PDB file of all heavy atoms in Angstrom:
ATOM      1  N   VAL A 130     -12.922 -10.590   5.225  1.00 98.00           N
ATOM      2  CA  VAL A 130     -14.109  -9.740   5.360  1.00 98.00           C
ATOM      3  C   VAL A 130     -15.313 -10.660   5.209  1.00 98.00           C
ATOM      4  O   VAL A 130     -15.421 -11.399   4.232  1.00 98.00           O
ATOM      5  CB  VAL A 130     -14.132  -8.643   4.275  1.00 98.00           C
ATOM      6  CG1 VAL A 130     -15.434  -7.847   4.352  1.00 98.00           C
ATOM      7  CG2 VAL A 130     -12.923  -7.730   4.409  1.00 98.00           C
ATOM      8  N   HIS A 138     -18.300   0.096   4.565  1.00 98.00           N
ATOM      9  CA  HIS A 138     -18.292   1.229   3.634  1.00 98.00           C
ATOM     10  C   HIS A 138     -17.595   2.440   4.262  1.00 98.00           C
ATOM     11  O   HIS A 138     -16.860   3.167   3.574  1.00 98.00           O
ATOM     12  CB  HIS A 138     -19.710   1.577   3.204  1.00 98.00           C
ATOM     13  CG  HIS A 138     -20.402   0.425   2.543  1.00 98.00           C
ATOM     14  ND1 HIS A 138     -21.743   0.426   2.288  1.00 98.00           N
ATOM     15  CD2 HIS A 138     -19.959  -0.772   2.087  1.00 98.00           C
ATOM     16  CE1 HIS A 138     -22.100  -0.719   1.712  1.00 98.00           C
ATOM     17  NE2 HIS A 138     -21.015  -1.452   1.598  1.00 98.00           N
ATOM     18  N   ASP A 152      -0.752  10.768  -0.302  1.00 96.00           N
ATOM     19  CA  ASP A 152      -0.330  10.699  -1.708  1.00 96.00           C
ATOM     20  C   ASP A 152       0.095   9.288  -2.103  1.00 96.00           C
ATOM     21  O   ASP A 152       1.073   9.094  -2.826  1.00 96.00           O
ATOM     22  CB  ASP A 152       0.800  11.692  -2.010  1.00 96.00           C
ATOM     23  CG  ASP A 152       0.329  13.133  -1.925  1.00 96.00           C
ATOM     24  OD1 ASP A 152      -0.828  13.399  -2.308  1.00 96.00           O
ATOM     25  OD2 ASP A 152       1.112  13.977  -1.468  1.00 96.00           O
ATOM     26  N   PRO A 192       2.156 -14.566 -13.031  1.00 95.00           N
ATOM     27  CA  PRO A 192       2.641 -15.576 -13.972  1.00 95.00           C
ATOM     28  C   PRO A 192       3.760 -16.422 -13.375  1.00 95.00           C
ATOM     29  O   PRO A 192       4.516 -15.966 -12.514  1.00 95.00           O
ATOM     30  CB  PRO A 192       3.177 -14.742 -15.141  1.00 95.00           C
ATOM     31  CG  PRO A 192       2.582 -13.393 -14.980  1.00 95.00           C
ATOM     32  CD  PRO A 192       2.320 -13.210 -13.525  1.00 95.00           C
ATOM     33  N   ALA A 212      11.019   6.205   2.405  1.00 97.00           N
ATOM     34  CA  ALA A 212      12.127   5.344   1.987  1.00 97.00           C
ATOM     35  C   ALA A 212      11.722   4.491   0.788  1.00 97.00           C
ATOM     36  O   ALA A 212      10.589   4.003   0.717  1.00 97.00           O
ATOM     37  CB  ALA A 212      12.551   4.454   3.145  1.00 97.00           C
ATOM     38  N   LEU A 242       0.201  -0.582 -11.650  1.00 98.00           N
ATOM     39  CA  LEU A 242      -0.968  -1.271 -11.108  1.00 98.00           C
ATOM     40  C   LEU A 242      -0.616  -2.706 -10.709  1.00 98.00           C
ATOM     41  O   LEU A 242      -1.038  -3.177  -9.644  1.00 98.00           O
ATOM     42  CB  LEU A 242      -2.130  -1.250 -12.102  1.00 98.00           C
ATOM     43  CG  LEU A 242      -3.403  -1.963 -11.674  1.00 98.00           C
ATOM     44  CD1 LEU A 242      -3.956  -1.393 -10.367  1.00 98.00           C
ATOM     45  CD2 LEU A 242      -4.450  -1.893 -12.776  1.00 98.00           C
ATOM     46  N   ALA A 250      -1.734  -6.892  -1.703  1.00 98.00           N
ATOM     47  CA  ALA A 250      -2.095  -8.276  -1.368  1.00 98.00           C
ATOM     48  C   ALA A 250      -1.071  -8.857  -0.390  1.00 98.00           C
ATOM     49  O   ALA A 250      -1.440  -9.587   0.543  1.00 98.00           O
ATOM     50  CB  ALA A 250      -2.190  -9.120  -2.638  1.00 98.00           C
ATOM     51  N   ASP A 260      10.581  -7.660   3.136  1.00 97.00           N
ATOM     52  CA  ASP A 260      10.741  -9.110   3.247  1.00 97.00           C
ATOM     53  C   ASP A 260      11.203  -9.723   1.932  1.00 97.00           C
ATOM     54  O   ASP A 260      11.702 -10.844   1.914  1.00 97.00           O
ATOM     55  CB  ASP A 260       9.423  -9.769   3.671  1.00 97.00           C
ATOM     56  CG  ASP A 260       8.961  -9.353   5.052  1.00 97.00           C
ATOM     57  OD1 ASP A 260       9.803  -8.929   5.871  1.00 97.00           O
ATOM     58  OD2 ASP A 260       7.742  -9.437   5.309  1.00 97.00           O
ATOM     59  N   GLU A 279      11.943  12.220  11.030  1.00 93.00           N
ATOM     60  CA  GLU A 279      11.391  13.479  11.548  1.00 93.00           C
ATOM     61  C   GLU A 279      10.364  14.096  10.606  1.00 93.00           C
ATOM     62  O   GLU A 279       9.490  14.831  11.047  1.00 93.00           O
ATOM     63  CB  GLU A 279      12.513  14.486  11.808  1.00 93.00           C
ATOM     64  CG  GLU A 279      13.270  14.209  13.070  1.00 93.00           C
ATOM     65  CD  GLU A 279      14.242  15.332  13.401  1.00 93.00           C
ATOM     66  OE1 GLU A 279      14.033  16.472  12.949  1.00 93.00           O
ATOM     67  OE2 GLU A 279      15.211  15.042  14.124  1.00 93.00           O
ATOM     68  N   GLN A 302       7.249  26.985   7.926  1.00 42.00           N
ATOM     69  CA  GLN A 302       8.082  27.756   7.019  1.00 42.00           C
ATOM     70  C   GLN A 302       9.383  27.019   6.751  1.00 42.00           C
ATOM     71  O   GLN A 302       9.953  26.407   7.654  1.00 42.00           O
ATOM     72  CB  GLN A 302       8.366  29.143   7.599  1.00 42.00           C
ATOM     73  CG  GLN A 302       7.132  29.953   7.875  1.00 42.00           C
ATOM     74  CD  GLN A 302       6.269  30.169   6.642  1.00 42.00           C
ATOM     75  OE1 GLN A 302       6.779  30.508   5.599  1.00 42.00           O
ATOM     76  NE2 GLN A 302       4.973  29.960   6.767  1.00 42.00           N
ATOM     77  N   ASP A 303       9.879  27.090   5.531  1.00 41.00           N
ATOM     78  CA  ASP A 303      11.168  26.504   5.188  1.00 41.00           C
ATOM     79  C   ASP A 303      12.272  27.311   5.830  1.00 41.00           C
ATOM     80  O   ASP A 303      12.206  28.538   5.885  1.00 41.00           O
ATOM     81  CB  ASP A 303      11.387  26.487   3.678  1.00 41.00           C
ATOM     82  CG  ASP A 303      10.462  25.501   2.979  1.00 41.00           C
ATOM     83  OD1 ASP A 303      10.028  24.546   3.656  1.00 41.00           O
ATOM     84  OD2 ASP A 303      10.168  25.694   1.787  1.00 41.00           O
TER      85      ASP A 303
END
Side-chain angles (χ1 to χ4, degrees):
V130 175
H138 301 168
D152 292 324
L242 179 58
D260 296 336
E279 283 188 24
Q302 301 302 314
D303 291 335

